[in-house]
Structures are given as structure tokens and as C-alpha cells.
């Protein structure tokens, strides 16, 4: 069968192939892959592609300003929603008149609210998040290590959730109604309804206490602390070439990140399966199969890209939830993250810290939404920049 | 045109699971496609045309579909027991297919160039640059003027007619021996429809690719086919030379289909349509399947099912009892099933 193929004119083809190659060497961007391919696409489309994407991004960023503004209002209102004198509440029942007066003055609570708000915004714009009542330190400096710890944990957890969740969903859709499908979806059902604190405790008991595979709590070996540069320990240890410490950091990450990954993983798996099943019924999948494409590529190229948009939405939402909702996990695993930081602040009624913490988490949530929206445009050429 | 068959379908039976039962959608179909020929398959929607063509490429979704019986012989080789890997070498390479829905048959998220080059590189060892050159050549072959520009465009930027041309280019990528076109023009307007048909006829002449053209419109068949098979409710009810069938249709169903061909001169105000509906697959039937809608129905139609009867003209066969009345005898001149 194979010997029959006679293409129209092989010589013409090889000649024009040379021409194309020449063109390619002048524009080497055309044959790269991955992220560079997207970049190449912009370049190949001329300046128009770049500028329209840029203006779209800029427009989206500007559209966030009112949202962020609204968030500052809400966060500001938290302290002013307290009935009576907030300073009294902060200091508790047995506070002396002097200390109440001191805190009132320190927080500027004796001024009219709009002056206070203006002052608050003004400081925010200068990167000043206020001063912690408990430690007397500037919050914008204090909060960073905690934020970085949460960041690291969340990113690792989401990485696990996405890799396992998306693939489980894909394989379940591909071999739907197989034992793998039933088993994976049963696990996912258990996963979404799992109380995380219970799962965390069970993991600690099983893998840390009984088997001794992983440390129970913390981020690092306290007797050999990591020299922080970025406060992302995975990076810091590598930057310093401390592979032994890197291994320790990884070991500390395993249990909390898997505990944290459980719910998003289950949700992502279910979402991926549902959209993949839908996509795989479509006509262009039939076309891809009629070409003679192997099922692996039909699934991982043609189907997955079409299924990715709803999955992206879920991933964005879950990442946001993890960043803000890691308090339980961080408390159980003694993870010095933003959740713990806030938890302590609430115990001490450290209002400036609570305010700033909430503001930052909300801002990150909004930011992730923005990134997801920009990714849509990247994935789907039908989405217009001019929305 | 030689009479050497390139593709033979023998006694094909395909069923779909519905509840616990398997219901036949295609019920004992046999036909041959000759080298270089354009064969038409007509029938109303639901008569099993798409199932027949998808089965020919082993693309029936299974479950719920199941090939219960039949042989597919391509270039003398029985495809029954070949592996999925061997099937992949046939699909898109030896036998390729285009579909009714040009709007949705191309992947919306990949450029035309990507999808075309994929089809080419799948069955050749072309480099990307060579595949690109071949793509441009193919696009020109199907009559797309600004071929180079279109490679970097996405399907949603093109019209239905353009997309169908691209589907055809993709199907022709590796010079297939057989092209199956499942209602390629149904979704297109009349002018574009004529252009696409002309293109297929042209390709057939230039490349000697045999074509199975599936449609519900005998007018389309009249335009470009040499032979035609009329299908009804999973069975062949009439087949033969296009000229014979257009001039001298024997089956009341074919006659009905002919009457419902849109009249280009627009003399008729309203289009004729055969009264009633195609029976749902799996409904119990005794006698001729068309009996409930047939204007000629008589005594024995309700009790016995007619077999294919060979008419005097070469290759003309009809599944109907009417000939027994005309000849005044119950004897079949010849029976094939
Ligand atoms: N995927 C499927 N699942 C269940 N039944 C199907 C499926 N595809 C086709 N069928 C059955 O086969 C019959 C014939 O369908 P089809 O071949 O698509 O008709 P045509 O192409 O002639 O319009 C339909 O009436 C339907 O009952
Ligand atoms: S066999 Fe009878 S019912 Fe069937 S098509 Fe012929 S005349 Fe009509
Ligand atoms: Mg059909």
C-alpha cells in the first residue's frame, strides 16, 4: 500500500521547502514550541497582535481599580463597624483609661472617619500597611515571610492538584465507565467531602507518627534553619546549593501540600472529566480520529485544549481559596503562613494586621482572576480582546 | 473507469445498544465501490447512511455501537481483524472522510495550518517546512486563493464553504484511494453547494480518487454520481446506474425521493415530501419496511419482506414486490440479499 503514494511533484516541493527554510532562518521564531511559540505567534502576526494583547491587559488591569478601591472600603469598615470604642475592644475589659487613650491616638481613631480613610489610602499607596499592635513592627515587612510560606505551600499544592486532578479526569473520560473511571470518581467524591483537618490529622498520625516518613510540623529543620533570601525555601536552598536542606524542605512540604491539594484535586478531576466527555463527542474530535491520529493525541491535544477553559476557571477559584483558606491546614501542620499570621492576629485582636491580611488575600484573589482571564484569551482565539 | 472494486462491503450489520437490546441501524448492506468511481448513497435522515460510512472507517462509537456482522474488503484485504494501529494507517491516508458540519468539524483552537500539517505529517515523514509547502499546494488544489495567509487563521474566521474546502484539502492530504463525503453540501447554500460538488468531481478526475457521496438529495446525485444506492431504514431498496434510476425508478420510495428534488426552475410552489416518517430503528416489522408510507402497497407487502430483485438492466436492483404484479408471476428472476 505504501509504495503507491505519488505526490504531485516532489521536486517542486523540495525546492519550495528550501525557500521556506530560508524564510525561516530569517524569522527563526516560527519553529519554536511552548511559550516561545505563543510569542512567535505575536511576532508573526506583526505588531498588531502584541499591541492588542497589551492594550487588553492594560485595560483589564485598570478595570481592577474600582474593585480594589471597594475592597479597601470594606476592610476599612471592619474596624469601624465595632460598636463603641474600638480601642476598648482591642485592649479588652481590664484596660486602663491611659492605655485606651494611647491606642485611640495611635490608631488615629479620634479623627473623623473620612480623614482616617484618606490617611489609610494614602499610606497604602505608599506601601505602608500600618503597624502591628502586638509586635510594634511595620506590617509590610513582617507579613512577607508568612506570605511567602503560604505562597510556596499553595503553589506546590496546586501543582499536585492540577497534575493529578487533570490527568485523572482525562483518563476517566477517555476510558469512561471503566474500573479506573469508577474508582477515580469515587475517590474524587470522597475528596470533595473530606474534612481537611481530619485528613490532616490522620496523615500526621499515619505517615509522620506511625511510619515516620515525614516530619509532623513546620517548614524546616529548626536546628538547621534555612538562610532566607526570597523566603521561598525551595528556591533559597537551591540558590545556596544546600541540597540537603532542599530535601528537608521537600519532606516538610509533602504532608501539608497533599492535605491542601485534596479538595482542589477532586474538584479539578471531576470538572476535567465532565468537560472532556462533552468535548470528545464533538465533530472536530471525529475529524481528528478520521485523520488517523492516535487516541493519545486526540485526547491530549485536540480534546484537552478545548476542555481547558472551564478547568482553568476552577483552578483559578481554587487557587484563590487555598491562598485564603489555608488557615486550618497551616494550624494543623504548624506552617508559618499567612493563615497562622492572621490567626494569631485575631487572638490578639491586632486589628491593623487583620485589616492588612484580609486586604492582601482579597487582592491576590482578584489578581488570580485576572491571570485566568488573560489565559482564556491566550487559549481561545475566538475570545475578542475588545470585551 | 475500470470496474475493479477498490472497496467492498459485504452483508454489513451494525446495531446500537438501547437499554438492554441491540437495535440494528444498518441491516445487511452489501455494495462495491469501483476504482475511480463516484458512488452516491441517498436516503432520508435516519436511514443509516452515516453509520455505514463511519463503520467503513471503524469510527462507530462503541459502546453503544456494535458491528454484528459483515466484511469490509479494501484493495482485496479484509479489514475485519486488523489492529487499531493498522486502522490508523488507513484512516486519513488510504480512506479519508469529510462531514456534514463544516462549521464544527475543524478544531476551533488550532490554526488551519496546524490541522492541515498534522494530517500530512501523520502519514509521511515530511518536515514541517515540507508539510507547509504541501499544505499551500493542497489549498490551491481545492481552490482557495490566498493559501499562505489562511494557514495562520482559525476556523471561526472563515465561511462555511471555505471550511468545507479546507476539510476536503485535509482529506486529500495524502492522496487517499477512497474519499467518503457524508452530506458535504447539506449545510451550505446552493451556490456554494454547486462549487463544492464541482470541486469533488474535479478531484475525482485529477487524482482518480474513488468517492462515496452521501446525501439525502437525489438532485446532488444526478449532478456528479455514476451509480447510486438508495437506502431506507438500514437496507438498500434500490441501486443501479444513475441514468437508469433517474429515468426509470422502480421503488416507490425512490420515486418519492425524485419527486421531492427541489425544482431549479421553480415551477412547483411547494416541495413534495413523502408522507409519514422513517420507522424508528428496532420497531417490529413484518413485511416491507416501507409499507406504511407506500402508495402502491398491496396484499403481500404486509406479510413478507421483499428481497433485492435484479431488473433486466445491468446492475439495477429493487427491493419491492411490484414487479411480480407487472410480470404476473411470483417468481423472482434472481435474488441477492
Ligand atoms: N451514536 C449513536 N447512538 C445510538 N444510535 C445511533 C447512533 N448513531 C446512529 N444511531 C442510530 O442509527 C440510525 C441511523 O443513523 P444515521 O446513520 O446517522 O442516519 P443517516 O446518516 O442516514 O441520517 C439512527 O436512526 C439512530 O437510531
Ligand atoms: S413491497 Fe409493497 S409496500 Fe414495499 S415498496 Fe413495494 S409496493 Fe410498496
Ligand atoms: Mg447522516
Amino acid at each position: 500500500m505504501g509504495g503507491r503514494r505519488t505526490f504531485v511533484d516532489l521536486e517542486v516541493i523540495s525546492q519550495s521547502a528550501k525557500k521556506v527554510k530560508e524564510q525561516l532562518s530569517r524569522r527563526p521564531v516560527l519553529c519554536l514550541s511552548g511559550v516561545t511559540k505563543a510569542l512567535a505567534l505575536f511576532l508573526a502576526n506583526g505588531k498588531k497582535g502584541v499591541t492588542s494583547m497589551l492594550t487588553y491587559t492594560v485595560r483589564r488591569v485598570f478595570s481592577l481599580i474600582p474593585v480594589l478601591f471597594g475592597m479597601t472600603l470594606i476592610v476599612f469598615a471592619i474596624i469601624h463597624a465595632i460598636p463603641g470604642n474600638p480601642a476598648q475592644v482591642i485592649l479588652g475589659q481590664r484596660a486602663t483609661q491611659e492605655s485606651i487613650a494611647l491606642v485611640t491616638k495611635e490608631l488615629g481613631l479620634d479623627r473623623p472617619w473620612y480623614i482616617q480613610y484618606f490617611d489609610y489610602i494614602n499610606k497604602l499607596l505608599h506601601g505602608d500597611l500600618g503597624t502591628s499592635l502586638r509586635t510594634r513592627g511595620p506590617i509590610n515587612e513582617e507579613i512577607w515571610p508568612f506570605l511567602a510560606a503560604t505562597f510556596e505551600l499553595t503553589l506546590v499544592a496546586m501543582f499536585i492538584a492540577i497534575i493529578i486532578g487533570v490527568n485523572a479526569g482525562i483518563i476517566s473520560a477517555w476510558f469512561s465507565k471503566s474500573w479506573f473511571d469508577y474508582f477515580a470518581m469515587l475517590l474524587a467524591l470522597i475528596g470533595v467531602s473530606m474534612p481537611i483537618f481530619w485528613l490532616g490529622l490522620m496523615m500526621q498520625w499515619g505517615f509522620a507518627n506511625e511510619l515516620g516518613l515525614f516530619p509532623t510540623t513546620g517548614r524546616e529543620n529548626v536546628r538547621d534553619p534555612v538562610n532566607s533570601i526570597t523566603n521561598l525555601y525551595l528556591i533559597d536552598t537551591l540558590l545556596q546549593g544546600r541540597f540537603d536542606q532542599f530535601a528537608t524542605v521537600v519532606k516538610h512540604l509533602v504532608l501539608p501540600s497533599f492535605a491542601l491539594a485534596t479538595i482542589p484535586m477532586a474538584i479539578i478531576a471531576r470538572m476535567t472529566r465532565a468537560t472532556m466527555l462533552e468535548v470528545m463527542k464533538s465533530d472536530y474530535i471525529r475529524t481528528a480520529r478520521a485523520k488517523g491520529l492516535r487516541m493519545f493525541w486526540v485526547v491530549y491535544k485536540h480534546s484537552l485544549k478545548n476542555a481547558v477553559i472551564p478547568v482553568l476557571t476552577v483552578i483559578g477559584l481554587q487557587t484563590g481559596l487555598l491562598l485564603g483558606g489555608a488557615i486550618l491546614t497551616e494550624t494543623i501542620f504548624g506552617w508559618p503562613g499567612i493563615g497562622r499570621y492572621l490567626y494569631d492576629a485575631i487572638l490578639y485582636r491586632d486589628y491593623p494586621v487583620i485589616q492588612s491580611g484580609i486586604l492582601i488575600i482579597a487582592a491576590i484573589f482578584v489578581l488570580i482572576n485576572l491571570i485566568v482571564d488573560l489565559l482564556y484569551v491566550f487559549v481561545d482565539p475566538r475570545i475578542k480582546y475588545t470585551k | 473507469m475500470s470496474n475493479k472494486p477498490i472497496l467492498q462491503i459485504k452483508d454489513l450489520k451494525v446495531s446500537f445498544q438501547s437499554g438492554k437490546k441491540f437495535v440494528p441501524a444498518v441491516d445487511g448492506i452489501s455494495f462495491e465501490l469501483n476504482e475511480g468511481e463516484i458512488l452516491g448513497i441517498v436516503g432520508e435522515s435516519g436511514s443509516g447512511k452515516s453509520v455505514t460510512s463511519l463503520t467503513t472507517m471503524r469510527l462507530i462509537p462503541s459502546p453503544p455501537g456494535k458491528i454484528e456482522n459483515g466484511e469490509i474488503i479494501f484493495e482485496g484485504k479484509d479489514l475485519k481483524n486488523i489492529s487499531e494501529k493498522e486502522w490508523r494507517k488507513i484512516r486519513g491516508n488510504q480512506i479519508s472522510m469529510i462531514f456534514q458540519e463544516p462549521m464544527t468539524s475543524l478544531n476551533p483552537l488550532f490554526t488551519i495550518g496546524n490541522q492541515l500539517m498534522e494530517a500530512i505529517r501523520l502519514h509521511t515523514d515530511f518536515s514541517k517546512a515540507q508539510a507547509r509547502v504541501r499544505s499551500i499546494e493542497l489549498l490551491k488544489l481545492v481552490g482557495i486563493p490566498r493559501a499562505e495567509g489562511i494557514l495562520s487563521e482559525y476556523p471561526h474566521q472563515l465561511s462555511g464553504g471555505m471550511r468545507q474546502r479546507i476539510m476536503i484539502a485535509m482529506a486529500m492530504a495524502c492522496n487517499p484511494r477512497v474519499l467518503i463525503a457524508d452530506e458535504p453540501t447539506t449545510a451550505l447554500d446552493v451556490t456554494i453547494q454547486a462549487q463544492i460538488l464541482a470541486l469533488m468531481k474535479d478531484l475525482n478526475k485529477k487524482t482518480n480518487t474513488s468517492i462515496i457521496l452521501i446525501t439525502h438529495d437525489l438532485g446532488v446525485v444526478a449532478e456528479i454520481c455514476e451509480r447510486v444506492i438508495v437506502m431506507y431504514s438500514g437496507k438498500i431498496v434500490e441501486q443501479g446506474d444513475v441514468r437508469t434510476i433517474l429515468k426509470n425508478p422502480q421503488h416507490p420510495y425512490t420515486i418519492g425521493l425524485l419527486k421531492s428534488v427541489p425544482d431549479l426552475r421553480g415551477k412547483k410552489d411547494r416541495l413534495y415530501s413523502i408522507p409519514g416518517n422513517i420507522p424508528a430503528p428496532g420497531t417490529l416489522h413484518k413485511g416491507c419496511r416501507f409499507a406504511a408510507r407506500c402508495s402502491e402497497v398491496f396484499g403481500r407487502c404486509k406479510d413478507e419482506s421483499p428481497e433485492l430483485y435484479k431488473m433486466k438492466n445491468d446492475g439495477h436492483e429493487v427491493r419491492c414486490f411490484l414487479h411480480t404484479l407487472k410480470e404476473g408471476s411470483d417468481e423472482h428472476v434472481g435474488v441477492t440479499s
Side-chain angles (χ1 to χ4, degrees):
Chain A
M1 285 183 196
R4 187 196 50 84
R5 183 182 292 113
T6 47
F7 282 117
V8 178
D9 194 340
L10 277 175
E11 225 159 77
V12 172
I13 291 180
S14 62
Q15 270 175 13
S16 6
K18 256 184 221 151
K19 245 188 265 162
V20 171
K21 271 205 184 120
E22 275 170 24
Q23 279 183 1
L24 286 182
S25 60
R26 260 182 274 129
R27 267 202 319 196
V29 284
L30 264 175
C31 40
L32 304 174
S33 59
V35 183
T36 32
K37 196 163 121 199
L39 246 175
L41 201 83
F42 284 162
L43 295 179
N45 286 350
K47 269 190 191 146
K48 221 181 94 203
V50 186
T51 39
S52 57
M53 183 76 189
L54 253 178
T55 42
Y56 175 75
T57 311
V58 169
R59 201 176 318 131
R60 283 303 320 267
V61 169
F62 271 99
S63 74
L64 289 186
I65 290 176
V67 179
L68 292 170
F69 204 69
M71 277 171 10
T72 59
L73 265 177
I74 293 170
V75 166
F76 178 74
I78 291 174
I79 208 164
H80 292 268
I82 303 169
N85 187 352
Q88 170 85 61
V89 178
I90 289 167
L91 294 173
Q93 291 287 308
R94 268 169 288 172
T96 59
Q97 282 305 318
E98 292 89 70
S99 58
I100 289 177
L102 200 74
V103 168
T104 306
K105 197 159 167 39
E106 189 177 337
L107 293 178
L109 292 170
D110 47 351
R111 299 169 304 166
W113 70 268
Y114 49 89
I115 303 266
Q116 289 181 44
Y117 180 67
F118 184 79
D119 187 45
Y120 174 61
I121 291 288
N122 191 29
K123 278 184 176 160
L124 267 187
L125 289 176
H126 290 91
D128 181 358
L129 292 173
T131 310
S132 163
L133 291 180
R134 184 160 60 98
T135 64
R136 306 263 143 208
I139 297 172
N140 48 330
E141 276 170 31
E142 263 183 12
I143 205 170
W144 176 240
F146 293 99
L147 205 56
T150 295
F151 227 66
E152 188 166 67
L153 179 58
T154 305
L155 288 188
V156 171
M158 275 319 281
F159 183 77
I160 295 169
I162 291 169
I163 296 291
I164 299 180
V166 166
N167 281 293
I170 288 173
I171 296 170
S172 289
W174 182 354
F175 302 105
S176 69
K177 296 187 180 158
S178 66
W179 66 265
F180 180 92
D181 182 22
Y182 289 127
F183 185 66
M185 287 307 117
L186 179 69
L187 280 187
L189 186 67
I190 296 171
V192 284
S193 37
M194 177 71 74
I196 287 308
F197 70 93
W198 184 81
L199 177 71
L201 290 174
M202 284 299 117
M203 283 166 99
Q204 274 181 335
W205 173 74
F207 293 104
N209 288 2
E210 293 297 310
L211 297 174
L213 293 176
F214 304 105
T216 328
T217 56
R219 239 189 128 183
E220 60 192 325
N221 184 349
V222 281
R223 266 163 284 164
D224 180 19
V226 174
N227 235 334
S228 27
I229 304 169
T230 61
N231 284 305
L232 301 169
Y233 286 179
L234 286 178
I235 295 175
D236 289 347
T237 52
L238 285 184
L239 282 180
Q240 295 164 45
R242 293 289 308 272
F243 298 108
D244 56 323
Q245 276 192 335
F246 180 77
T248 321
V249 170
V250 169
K251 268 192 179 171
H252 278 89
L253 265 167
V254 172
L255 292 186
S257 58
F258 267 93
L260 205 57
T262 305
I263 288 179
M265 190 193 302
I267 293 177
I268 290 170
R270 280 155 54 119
M271 190 69 186
T272 308
R273 177 181 182 271
T275 44
M276 283 294 280
L277 275 180
E278 203 47 51
V279 166
M280 280 165 79
K281 277 190 226 144
S282 42
D283 293 334
Y284 51 82
I285 296 306
R286 190 181 54 189
T287 306
R289 294 208 59 206
K291 275 180 187 174
L293 199 60
R294 60 170 60 240
M295 206 51 198
F296 180 84
W297 290 115
V298 172
V299 170
Y300 275 86
K301 179 185 170 184
H302 288 269
S303 311
L304 183 57
K305 194 168 182 192
N306 279 279
V308 99
I309 286 199
V311 175
L312 262 183
T313 314
V314 170
I315 288 175
L317 270 175
Q318 291 298 319
T319 313
L321 285 178
L322 283 202
L323 279 171
I327 296 189
L328 267 179
T329 319
E330 287 181 358
T331 313
I332 294 167
F333 288 100
W335 194 265
I338 191 84
R340 258 264 301 275
Y341 187 56
L342 272 180
Y343 180 78
D344 289 345
I346 290 167
L347 283 186
Y348 284 92
R349 288 175 232 174
D350 194 344
Y351 271 85
V353 170
I354 298 172
Q355 256 184 339
S356 301
I358 292 174
L359 188 66
I360 283 177
I361 288 172
I364 290 174
F365 207 97
V366 171
L367 198 72
I368 289 169
N369 260 313
L370 172 74
I371 293 172
V372 169
D373 275 3
L374 292 179
L375 282 179
Y376 290 161
V377 183
F378 216 70
V379 172
D380 194 339
R382 288 166 301 182
I383 296 177
K384 292 260 161 56
Y385 297 125
T386 50
K387 238 191 333 193
Chain B
M1 186 194 94
S2 71
N3 266 344
K4 217 174 111 206
I6 184 161
L7 181 70
Q8 291 165 279
I9 308 287
K10 288 188 182 164
D11 202 20
L12 185 69
K13 185 173 177 187
V14 184
S15 299
F16 284 91
Q17 190 167 17
S18 129
K20 287 201 170 155
K21 276 189 312 186
F22 275 91
V23 171
V26 166
D27 195 358
I29 278 195
S30 308
F31 65 88
E32 289 179 355
L33 175 70
N34 293 323
E35 229 165 83
E37 170 185 48
I38 304 184
L39 171 71
I41 301 184
V42 272
E44 288 167 298
S45 163
S47 47
K49 307 180 301 288
S50 296
V51 172
T52 307
S53 55
L54 285 172
T55 308
T56 310
M57 293 189 75
R58 189 65 68 83
L59 284 178
I60 279 293
S62 164
K66 185 178 163 198
I67 303 172
E68 305 220 35
N69 188 32
E71 284 169 50
I72 300 165
I73 297 164
F74 175 68
E75 289 188 319
K77 188 180 172 196
D78 189 353
L79 302 186
K80 184 161 206 156
N81 292 319
I82 69 170
S83 65
E84 174 62 22
K85 196 175 163 197
E86 285 173 282
W87 265 112
R88 283 203 305 267
K89 282 189 195 144
I90 291 176
R91 285 185 204 129
N93 189 25
Q94 311 277 346
I95 307 177
S96 54
M97 194 163 176
I98 58 176
F99 303 97
Q100 176 174 350
E101 304 84 6
M103 304 313 268
T104 52
S105 289
L106 288 164
N107 194 325
L109 303 189
F110 293 95
T111 59
I112 303 300
N114 182 311
Q115 299 185 56
L116 257 175
M117 282 155 71
E118 181 181 50
I120 295 164
R121 298 190 70 198
L122 214 49
H123 302 289
T124 61
D125 46 16
F126 277 22
S127 69
K128 269 192 182 169
Q130 285 172 314
R132 198 183 140 84
V133 172
R134 169 85 179 141
S135 301
I136 292 169
E137 196 179 273
L138 281 165
L139 290 176
K140 285 185 177 148
L141 186 72
V142 297
I144 290 177
R146 33 177 211 100
E148 301 216 18
I150 275 195
L151 287 183
S152 57
E153 285 185 16
Y154 288 93
H156 73 275
Q157 295 168 288
L158 306 172
S159 68
M162 278 299 229
R163 287 190 223 182
Q164 198 60 296
R165 280 175 196 269
I166 283 157
M167 283 297 291
I168 295 174
M170 217 152 82
M172 297 303 292
C174 301
N175 284 343
R177 306 296 322 271
V178 175
L179 172 67
I180 303 174
D182 189 354
E183 311 224 17
T185 58
T186 305
L188 304 173
D189 68 50
V190 186
T191 3
I192 310 294
Q193 182 169 338
Q195 289 173 8
I196 297 287
L197 290 178
L199 169 64
M200 297 207 338
K201 181 135 200 166
D202 190 42
L203 287 177
N204 166 255
K205 264 200 212 129
K206 270 192 198 153
T207 61
N208 203 36
T209 304
S210 316
I211 297 179
I212 298 179
L213 177 72
I214 293 170
T215 172
H216 59 254
D217 183 355
L218 263 173
V220 168
V221 168
E223 201 108 0
I224 69 166
C225 296
E226 286 138 34
R227 253 178 351 113
V228 61
I229 291 172
V230 183
M231 271 183 80
Y232 185 75
S233 184
K235 280 190 183 290
I236 293 178
V237 295
E238 183 160 12
Q239 61 180 333
D241 201 65
V242 167
R243 251 172 303 158
T244 314
I245 292 205
L246 291 180
K247 253 197 232 144
N248 187 22
Q250 290 300 308
H251 200 284
Y253 180 61
T254 315
I255 296 170
L257 282 181
L258 261 175
K259 272 202 236 169
S260 53
V261 171
D263 187 11
L264 284 182
R265 281 154 298 176
K267 271 194 230 150
K268 284 179 249 172
D269 291 342
R270 286 178 62 227
L271 224 52
Y272 173 81
S273 69
I274 306 167
N277 289 313
I278 205 161
T283 41
L284 273 182
H285 37 67
K286 205 173 91 185
C288 175
R289 294 190 185 196
F290 191 55
R293 303 169 69 189
C294 183
S295 54
E296 312 286 329
V297 58
F298 64 103
R300 77 187 275 198
C301 302
K302 303 237 158 148
D303 302 318
E304 300 168 54
S305 13
E307 295 297 323
L308 270 178
Y309 170 80
K310 281 200 172 110
M311 300 290 293
K312 287 187 195 84
N313 261 343
D314 203 23
H316 189 184
E317 298 185 346
V318 184
R319 190 187 294 279
C320 172
F321 287 129
L322 280 176
H323 66 89
T324 59
L325 295 181
K326 282 173 193 157
E327 286 156 20
S329 109
D330 267 357
E331 264 175 48
H332 295 182
V333 175
V335 172
T336 53
S337 57

